[in-house]
Amino acid sequence: MSIIFLLIGFSVTVAGCFLGAFLWAVKSGQFDDDYTPAVRMLFDNESSGKKQAEPKK
Amino acid sequence: MEAALQTDIQHCYHCGDTCNDGPIEAHDKVFCCDGCKTVYELLEENNLCTYYNLEQTPGITGKQPVAESRFAYLDDAGVTTQLISFRNDSICKLTLYVPQMHCSSCIWLLENLFKLNPGVSASTVNFLRKEVSITYLHQQTTLREVVQLLARIGYEPAITLADTEGKKATKPNRGVIYKLGIAGFCFGNVMLLAFPDYLAGEGIQQTYGQFFGYLSLLLSVPVLLFSARGFFTTAWQGIRQRVVNIDMPISLGLAALFLVSVYQIVFKQGVGYLDSFTGLVFFMLIGKYFQQKTYDTLSFDRDYTSYFPVSITVLKEQGQEESVAVRNLQVGDRIRIRNQELIPADAILLRGQAMIDYSFVSGESEPVEKVTGEVIYAGGRQVGESIELEVVKEVSQGYLTQLWNNAVFSKNESQGIDTYANVAAKWFILATFLVAAGALIYWVPRDTDIAMKAFISVLIIACPCALSLSTPFVHGNTLRIFGKNKFYLKNTAVVETLAKIDTVVFDKTGTLTEPTAAELVYTGKALLPEQAQSIKSVLRHSTHPLSQRIFQSMAGEVKEVQHFRELTGKGLVGEVNGRLVRVGSAAYLGVPAAKEALKTTVYVSVDGVLLGFYTFFNVYRSGLKQILHELNDKQLAVLSGDNDHEAARLQELLGPEAELNFSQSPMQKLAYIQQLKDANRHVLMVGDGLNDAGALRQSDVGIALTNSITNFSPSCDAILDASAFDKLSRFIRFSKKSMNIILGSFAVSLVYNAVGLTFAVMGLFSPIVSAILMPISSLSVILFATLSVRIAAKRAGL
């Protein structure tokens, strides 16, 4: 049954990784605006050959 | 979405306005004005016509061309530094507030700025905050060029004095998201570890109890130290100010839960209640998060600096113009104010025809004429030609800005709020302690083990989580329902104050009346079509706001006018088809000023024969009569900065008991509210302008009425969208109802607590049962609160 210690160790580590990813996402501003990106992704990219919008930071 | 389909002959392709003054046709499209046409051409040239495919007529009318010299102050290094948030060798970053943003086309265009100005390297829109973050290469372009470009395409950013006063744009508050994330993570894991305990019981407990216990403890520490910190600090503030607030019992409960769990785990007495502890924090944070989300975009604490421009045109000795930051304006400076610009400091008129719109300061609806040598107070807006002034007082010493020196504005609001929940909390703490102590005293001589158990169970069950959850959830839901109806409260405490209101005070101009409309009534001999045409032709040449309004109300073509002259403060004269047309004040046309003198009137005569006069009436908001009727159980009053020519109409609308006060200065308004409060009345003030700011602040609840919620509104407790004005009485009634619901949910949690406590003091509960009972009681209270608010809202038609 000592496998449980190992399993719990793993699960907490994995969960911790997700928490870290979440904190990173918040820090990089992904939760600051939850409306505009939804609209932005619906804009068609024009094939005019002109410079495309730079990746958003 | 074919572009051609949208082209309506009557509507501008760019902004959708009706083309009144003869449409301009170009590129197979119709435009209402040159401004719109120019923007279209600019976009077309740069392949940006997707703008028109995303939404119909997304543009902003270009009827009022922007004088580009206005942005000269952005060349000033000092101003630029204040506005820019980041700068290195090649790039500058800043965030601008663009109030005109309204649709997805706007987002698209603003994010494609780099096509219009190659110096812009990126622009990102935050639509809810109406902000655009711009990164530009300062070797290729300047801030001024970027702002000018925005203004040219119709998105002039609002840069105000507040932006340059060191109050950096508030960063989006991520604190609560962090806290929520951590609490959620810990709650989930602790719950997982607690599960075997609920289900399997003793066996697992013996094998893994220690391990599970310490792991849970480890996971709970960040919740205690980080996520729940806000509750403890608020409680501590309450203790220091000697007020009991709702966070106090919450903190007490949380602390009790945590300490008991630590004790149990360390001394192997049980598994503790860490799952309840983390869960409680998590749920309460969810409530906080939603509340914050709705209110992120609104600002309730604005002062005059949010209204004032950043720069002003100063005339130097040789007559050249220079743009100077308003903060650097000194007494004795000569300044030039153009059409629609705000006068930033008290000043003497030197030259030009001043027509000052004081609606900002006094609520006076019609512009006031000023003659050379008169003092013009800060906050007035010039309408018409540009004028020259000499500054006599510094910006911060002005008549209007003095209002902010009043004690009301420095008062700390958070002190001594006697909210329902806080009052209840006081009794709750007392009762809990009495019961817990009673149980302890009763059991100690008999059985110390049961005594401890009873004491802890009482604390846990009576943990006022139900109490502390019911108020925020009822209020939170009420706030959300108000928000859906375009009524935004500053915080939950406003709901309680709103429920107690017994006196309603209205500002007149812009609040009871429609700010943009005026009813025009013509009295006198009927005008022949030819006469009407002549009058309209003459009016066309005047920029006077009254002339403009009459002009717009008249139909027909205009003819050529000869010998047109405008006499400042008097009227107009001109010849049409050889007939002499005169339009102007009673004195100008030699008419004895009648008893109507207080009303705004414009007389007309043709060939020296007086034909009649136009009278301007305020247009009251639709549904006003209905609202006032519904508010008849409250005392009503009007505070107007305007003169009393509408007194009779208002009295009829508000009823004979209403108090009407006219010609009130901002200070008098504040004093009036103070006087009402001294008479122990609970005052609701509804106003719109900066002139109401003092009164709004002084009143128990100050509601700022605005046509656009993200626009500037004075410091207030609540912001009401003008389109929802007719629901005002329903809002007040609903806030009362939600107070009843709180009482109801108190009762529900009280029943739980009474039953639970009875068993607990008798020592019948194992702590596990009480740990299960607690979340259930919390959930049921949340459910009750949410559902009953929803149902009540539906019934109230909100």
Side-chain angles (χ1 to χ4, degrees):
Chain A
M1 280 296 268
S2 57
I3 188 74
I4 285 206
F5 293 109
L6 196 66
L7 283 177
I8 286 179
F10 274 133
S11 79
V12 171
T13 317
V14 170
C17 289
F18 279 108
L19 178 69
F22 173 76
L23 295 181
W24 167 81
V26 175
K27 198 170 178 219
S28 65
Q30 295 181 28
F31 284 76
D32 292 352
D33 182 3
D34 51 12
Y35 178 83
T36 327
V39 178
R40 187 181 294 137
M41 68 164 290
L42 296 175
F43 297 147
D44 289 330
N45 281 341
E46 281 141 278
S47 48
S48 61
K50 288 208 169 196
K51 194 176 107 188
Q52 292 295 318
E54 288 192 3
K56 305 288 178 291
K57 288 184 195 136
Chain B
M1 290 258 267
E2 189 51 49
L5 285 176
Q6 300 158 19
T7 318
D8 190 322
I9 303 165
Q10 288 306 312
H11 296 279
C12 178
Y13 182 67
H14 180 69
C15 71
D17 273 8
T18 44
C19 305
N20 284 329
D21 316 335
I24 299 167
E25 287 182 37
H27 318 279
D28 305 327
K29 315 264 189 315
V30 186
F31 300 97
C32 66
C33 59
D34 277 322
C36 289
K37 194 181 122 213
T38 322
V39 177
Y40 172 76
E41 283 167 352
L42 181 73
L43 297 184
E44 203 214 0
E45 206 175 293
N46 290 286
N47 276 327
L48 289 170
C49 280
T50 313
Y51 185 55
Y52 299 101
N53 299 339
L54 293 168
E55 300 266 341
Q56 291 199 1
T57 61
I60 290 121
T61 177
K63 270 177 198 142
Q64 282 158 358
V66 201
E68 307 223 319
S69 59
R70 268 177 61 188
F71 300 113
Y73 66 93
L74 291 171
D75 287 337
D76 182 306
V79 173
T80 318
T81 325
Q82 296 276 8
L83 292 172
I84 281 173
S85 56
F86 173 80
R87 183 192 177 101
N88 68 10
D89 292 342
S90 55
I91 60 161
C92 280
K93 283 185 181 190
L94 83 160
T95 302
L96 293 168
Y97 174 63
V98 182
Q100 288 89 343
M101 212 186 285
H102 62 277
C103 64
S104 51
S105 278
C106 303
I107 303 177
W108 183 82
L109 182 60
L110 288 170
E111 300 207 330
N112 277 291
L113 274 186
F114 65 91
K115 289 186 182 164
L116 291 169
N117 181 344
V120 175
S121 67
S123 47
T124 315
V125 171
N126 184 330
F127 185 75
L128 294 180
R129 296 172 73 94
K130 301 208 179 217
E131 284 174 351
V132 53
S133 308
I134 295 176
T135 311
Y136 67 90
L137 309 163
H138 55 75
Q139 274 133 5
Q140 285 184 36
T141 188
T142 62
L143 178 59
R144 183 179 172 187
E145 277 172 18
V146 173
V147 172
Q148 274 178 5
L149 171 67
L150 284 171
R152 212 177 306 146
I153 58 175
Y155 297 98
E156 187 185 336
I159 304 172
T160 64
L161 199 54
D163 296 325
T164 62
E165 298 244 292
K167 292 181 216 156
K168 272 280 159 230
T170 47
K171 278 213 161 167
N173 191 1
R174 295 170 188 163
V176 80
I177 305 183
Y178 281 126
K179 287 179 181 171
L180 195 58
I182 301 238
F185 167 79
C186 298
F187 170 54
N189 282 294
V190 171
M191 202 64 194
L192 209 64
L193 297 174
F195 236 70
D197 212 42
Y198 288 151
L199 302 176
E202 294 301 303
I204 290 186
Q205 172 63 18
Q206 267 161 15
T207 332
Y208 300 109
Q210 278 300 85
F211 173 63
F212 282 7
Y214 280 105
L215 194 57
S216 310
L217 201 57
L218 196 70
L219 285 165
S220 303
V221 171
V223 177
L224 178 79
L225 296 183
F226 180 66
S227 298
R229 200 153 144 203
F231 303 107
F232 291 114
T233 44
T234 322
W236 177 239
Q237 277 166 9
I239 291 171
R240 279 214 313 218
Q241 289 172 1
R242 286 162 205 286
V243 251
V244 176
N245 58 31
I246 184 72
D247 278 350
M248 233 181 259
I250 297 180
S251 310
L252 198 75
L254 289 179
L257 270 176
F258 188 78
L259 290 177
V260 167
S261 307
V262 172
Y263 170 81
Q264 286 195 357
I265 290 167
V266 172
F267 294 97
K268 296 178 193 155
Q269 300 276 317
V271 287
Y273 315 99
L274 291 173
D275 53 333
S276 308
F277 169 74
T278 46
L280 200 60
V281 174
F282 180 65
F283 287 130
M284 288 192 296
L285 285 174
I286 288 182
K288 272 200 173 172
Y289 170 69
F290 277 114
Q291 205 171 313
Q292 187 194 308
K293 224 176 98 165
T294 330
Y295 287 85
D296 224 18
T297 48
L298 302 174
S299 176
F300 290 91
D301 296 305
R302 287 196 162 119
D303 64 6
Y304 65 93
T305 54
S306 309
Y307 293 80
F308 276 27
V310 180
S311 80
I312 201 78
T313 314
V314 170
L315 296 168
K316 292 286 164 193
E317 276 168 33
Q318 281 86 34
Q320 73 270 56
E321 297 185 358
E322 194 184 312
S323 214
V324 164
V326 165
R327 277 179 304 141
N328 302 334
L329 208 58
Q330 276 157 4
V331 174
D333 279 350
R334 295 182 67 173
I335 54 175
R336 167 161 292 163
I337 301 287
R338 298 192 180 79
N339 188 16
Q340 293 298 325
E341 283 188 344
L342 205 69
I343 295 156
D346 297 0
I348 290 178
L349 181 63
L350 296 178
R351 193 184 299 161
Q353 185 193 345
M355 287 289 303
I356 307 297
D357 170 10
Y358 268 133
S359 55
F360 231 27
V361 185
S362 64
E364 189 86 43
S365 54
E366 294 303 331
V368 190
E369 307 238 24
K370 293 277 176 186
V371 294
T372 314
E374 264 189 278
V375 171
I376 301 177
Y377 293 117
R381 196 184 279 285
Q382 161 68 357
V383 185
E385 60 173 44
S386 75
I387 51 171
E388 275 178 46
L389 304 151
E390 186 178 307
V391 177
V392 293
K393 267 183 188 165
E394 278 174 44
V395 177
S396 58
Q397 300 298 315
Y399 168 75
L400 177 68
T401 46
Q402 288 280 316
L403 190 63
W404 268 265
N405 298 336
N406 192 290
V408 203
F409 285 94
S410 51
K411 180 175 72 183
N412 185 0
E413 267 187 297
S414 64
Q415 273 175 0
I417 327 163
D418 247 358
T419 60
Y420 249 48
N422 288 351
V423 173
K426 221 181 288 181
W427 294 107
F428 206 93
I429 291 181
L430 201 69
T432 314
F433 266 118
L434 282 180
V435 175
L440 199 64
I441 291 166
Y442 177 82
W443 281 110
V444 165
R446 294 172 179 78
D447 185 341
T448 34
D449 218 31
I450 294 187
M452 265 325 276
K453 232 158 106 181
F455 183 69
I456 292 161
S457 298
V458 168
L459 277 187
I460 290 170
I461 291 178
C463 163
C465 51
L467 184 75
S468 65
L469 285 173
S470 73
T471 323
F473 270 81
V474 170
H475 282 337
N477 276 301
T478 309
L479 249 59
R480 207 164 313 145
I481 280 158
F482 281 170
K484 251 201 319 212
N485 290 282
K486 298 184 174 171
F487 182 43
Y488 306 90
L489 302 186
K490 185 179 184 175
N491 54 38
T492 49
V494 180
V495 181
E496 299 188 10
T497 346
L498 198 60
K500 285 189 218 145
I501 291 303
D502 55 13
T503 309
V504 185
V505 182
F506 293 99
D507 165 53
K508 194 194 79 167
T509 317
T511 303
L512 293 181
T513 66
E514 204 69 70
T516 48
E519 203 179 314
L520 204 56
V521 175
Y522 175 77
T523 327
K525 291 176 200 144
L527 295 175
L528 300 170
E530 191 203 351
Q531 286 171 331
Q533 201 176 20
S534 313
I535 293 167
K536 183 167 178 174
S537 310
V538 171
L539 289 170
R540 185 186 146 94
H541 292 272
S542 167
T543 52
H544 194 289
L546 295 183
S547 316
Q548 289 290 326
R549 277 196 194 160
I550 304 176
F551 175 77
Q552 279 160 13
S553 73
M554 296 172 91
E557 297 284 305
V558 287
K559 282 196 205 151
E560 209 181 314
V561 181
Q562 270 122 26
H563 310 299
F564 174 82
R565 261 196 313 145
E566 183 158 6
L567 302 149
T568 308
K570 292 176 180 162
L572 317 167
V573 62
E575 267 179 50
V576 183
N577 284 347
R579 285 170 175 272
L580 185 73
V581 179
R582 300 205 316 161
V583 184
S585 65
Y588 175 56
L589 294 183
V591 186
K595 58 180 187 306
E596 316 264 307
L598 283 172
K599 290 180 185 162
T600 315
T601 48
V602 173
Y603 287 79
V604 287
S605 79
V606 173
D607 277 342
V609 182
L610 184 74
L611 293 175
F613 57 89
Y614 288 93
T615 315
F616 287 86
F617 287 102
N618 291 318
V619 178
Y620 290 99
R621 286 192 190 273
S622 58
L624 181 63
K625 196 147 198 164
Q626 176 72 19
I627 306 245
L628 295 173
H629 179 71
E630 284 168 3
L631 288 172
N632 59 6
D633 54 330
K634 318 229 179 330
Q635 190 189 323
L636 298 177
V638 168
L639 285 179
S640 174
D642 219 345
N643 63 42
D644 64 353
H645 68 266
E646 294 268 334
R649 266 176 88 188
L650 272 175
Q651 197 82 64
E652 191 202 317
L653 271 169
L654 285 130
E657 281 118 65
E659 271 186 59
L660 306 179
N661 302 279
F662 295 96
S663 309
Q664 299 278 305
S665 74
M667 280 299 194
Q668 282 172 311
K669 287 188 177 189
L670 199 159
Y672 181 79
I673 303 282
Q674 178 65 56
Q675 184 198 323
L676 281 177
K677 278 183 82 177
D678 288 344
N680 273 331
R681 307 208 65 104
H682 299 282
V683 188
L684 167 70
M685 169 85 199
V686 191
D688 70 320
L690 211 48
N691 57 319
D692 303 314
L696 288 176
R697 184 71 193 236
Q698 179 68 65
S699 56
D700 293 292
V701 180
I703 300 180
L705 199 66
T706 168
N707 285 312
S708 155
I709 50 156
T710 44
N711 233 335
F712 293 132
S713 50
S715 172
C716 56
D717 299 306
I719 298 175
L720 175 61
D721 191 288
S723 62
F725 181 65
D726 55 340
K727 291 180 187 157
L728 184 65
S729 56
R730 264 187 270 172
F731 289 138
I732 298 178
R733 244 179 296 134
F734 187 69
S735 63
K736 261 186 206 156
K737 207 161 277 168
S738 74
M739 296 319 294
N740 290 339
I741 294 172
I742 290 186
L743 274 188
S745 59
F746 276 4
V748 170
S749 73
L750 215 66
V751 170
Y752 264 108
N753 283 315
V755 174
L757 281 178
T758 324
F759 285 107
V761 291
M762 289 178 351
L764 289 176
F765 269 162
S766 76
I768 288 210
V769 176
S770 55
I772 295 171
L773 203 70
M774 201 183 70
I776 293 178
S777 86
S778 303
L779 275 180
S780 68
V781 168
I782 292 177
L783 222 65
F784 175 81
T786 313
L787 285 182
S788 45
V789 171
R790 291 270 156 93
I791 291 166
K794 214 163 231 172
R795 275 202 203 142
L798 287 172

